[in-house]
């Protein structure tokens, strides 16, 4: 479906906030849209950072040529996206903790706005890169090697996490030790985005699952963390 770019603004160096007027199917926190980029065959997966009154909010970091092209879009331009896709985060259960790193925060902010009451831990490399944190109703922010997983305490009923893989692995480890159920949003390169091509397959629960269709959110206990080298942790 096609929407219209309503506004685009810079949040920090290389991170921008895009608002698009578009009718999305069942937008929910943790689901994503698959965005077409002019001049590129493959769409780019982007989490919903919010959706209200027919306006989708996407917060994107420029990584390569596709996201750089999206950052150049202007209000009034048409933009094509499929969605919402994927399974999304589970609804709250008791006391919920959100743990996000860097550009993993957008779907967690959508969650915090949809289900009030969750507390968040937001980790960034440096204060200059701290985007979105101030929008969470309840948040603690950490930088550098004060990693988010070190701040997880007992007393939560569920942890939801999104961010770099080493952070997700560390969060999953702490939650397993504290016996807190934990769900992580995984990131894989995608092609079709709708479960047909298997490009995004990864090992979950002893079998291969499609991140685009079966995920991107998985129970952390089911994820095969061994695929991540110790150097990444
Ligand atoms: C479910 C999901 C949600 C995401 N949500 C966000 C978000 O909210 N904000 C944000 O800034 N980024 C998000 N990403 C990452 C974003 O999709 C990539 O940074 C982007 O696709 C890079 O495209 P590029 O053309 O700039 O980079 P290039 O490296 O030039 O891309 C080349 C190809 O690789 C794919 N690719 C590259 N990096 C990734 C990646 N990390 N994940 C998936 N595909 C990748 C691209 O889609 C493209 O097909 C998400 C990824 C996934 C899987
Ligand atoms: S991207 Fe094609 S099956 Fe997931």
């Amino acid at each position: 479906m096609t929407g219209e770019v309503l506004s685009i603004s810079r949040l920090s160096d290389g991170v921008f906030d895009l608002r698009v007027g578009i009718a999305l199917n069942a937008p929910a926190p943790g689901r994503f849209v698959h965005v077409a980029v002019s001049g590129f065959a493959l769409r780019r997966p982007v989490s919903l950072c919010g959706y209200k009154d027919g306006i989708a909010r996407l917060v994107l970091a420029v990584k390569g040529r596709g996201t750089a092209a999206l950052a150049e879009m202007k209000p009034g331009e048409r933009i094509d996206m499929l969605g919402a896709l994927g399974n999304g985060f589970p609804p709250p259960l008791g006391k919920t903790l959100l743990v996000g790193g860097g550009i993993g925060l957008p779907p967690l902010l959508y969650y915090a706005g949809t289900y009030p009451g969750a507390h968040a831990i937001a980790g960034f490399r440096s204060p200059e890169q701290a985007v979105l944190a101030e929008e969470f109703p309840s948040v603690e922010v950490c930088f550098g090697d004060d990693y988010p997983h070190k701040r997880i305490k007992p007393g939560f009923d569920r942890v939801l996490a999104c961010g770099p893989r080493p952070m997700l692995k560390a969060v999953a480890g702490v939650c397993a030790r504290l016996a807190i159920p934990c769900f992580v949003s995984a990131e894989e390169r995608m092609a079709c985005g709708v479960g047909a091509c298997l490009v995004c397959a990864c090992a979950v629960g002893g079998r291969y699952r499609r991140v685009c269709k079966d995920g991107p959110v998985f129970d952390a206990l089911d994820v095969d963390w061994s695929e991540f080298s110790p150097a990444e942790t």
Side-chain angles (χ1 to χ4, degrees):
M1 51 208 97
T2 310
E4 180 186 343
V5 174
L6 300 178
S7 67
I8 181 161
S9 57
R10 180 184 170 281
L11 295 183
S12 73
D13 201 21
V15 178
F16 61 100
D17 186 335
L18 182 65
R19 311 282 172 126
V20 177
I22 191 164
L24 291 179
N25 172 44
R31 302 197 80 199
F32 68 95
V33 287
H34 216 194
V35 184
V37 188
S38 178
F40 295 87
L42 293 179
R43 292 170 179 268
R44 268 55 177 171
V46 186
S47 300
L48 284 169
C49 181
Y51 188 82
K52 198 173 175 205
D53 301 330
I55 299 175
R57 181 184 189 190
L58 310 180
V59 172
L60 265 164
V62 174
K63 286 283 165 61
R65 292 192 301 148
T67 43
L70 288 174
E72 293 301 316
M73 292 200 80
K74 303 277 180 289
E77 284 187 326
R78 307 297 295 173
I79 184 166
D80 182 290
M81 53 179 79
L82 301 175
L85 304 176
N87 57 358
F89 287 119
L93 184 73
K95 216 171 151 202
T96 301
L97 177 67
L98 310 174
V99 184
I103 201 63
L105 282 172
L108 299 176
L109 179 60
Y110 188 15
Y111 195 96
T114 305
Y115 305 111
H119 178 64
I121 302 173
F124 301 95
R125 289 209 177 116
S126 68
E128 297 72 44
Q129 292 170 326
V131 294
L132 300 180
E134 77 287 351
E135 296 187 45
F136 284 82
S138 169
V139 66
E140 55 193 284
V141 183
C142 48
F143 301 107
D145 58 9
D146 175 16
Y147 295 115
H149 69 274
K150 295 182 180 171
R151 291 171 168 249
I152 300 174
K153 308 248 177 339
F156 289 95
D157 300 299
R158 179 176 272 174
V159 169
L160 308 178
C162 186
R165 289 178 180 196
M167 186 206 86
L168 295 182
K169 182 177 180 179
V171 169
V174 173
C175 289
R177 274 199 299 283
L178 297 176
I180 306 174
C182 173
F183 293 82
V184 297
S185 183
E187 219 179 82
E188 281 295 336
R189 287 180 178 243
M190 292 182 183
C192 73
V194 292
C197 70
L198 304 185
V199 160
C200 66
C202 68
V204 179
R207 60 198 172 104
Y208 279 93
R209 309 287 300 277
R210 298 158 301 179
V211 170
C212 69
K213 181 99 177 167
D214 307 312
V217 178
F218 296 103
D219 187 325
L221 290 178
D222 288 337
V223 176
D224 178 4
W225 297 105
S226 66
E227 67 184 275
F228 306 119
S229 70
E232 281 188 297
T233 56

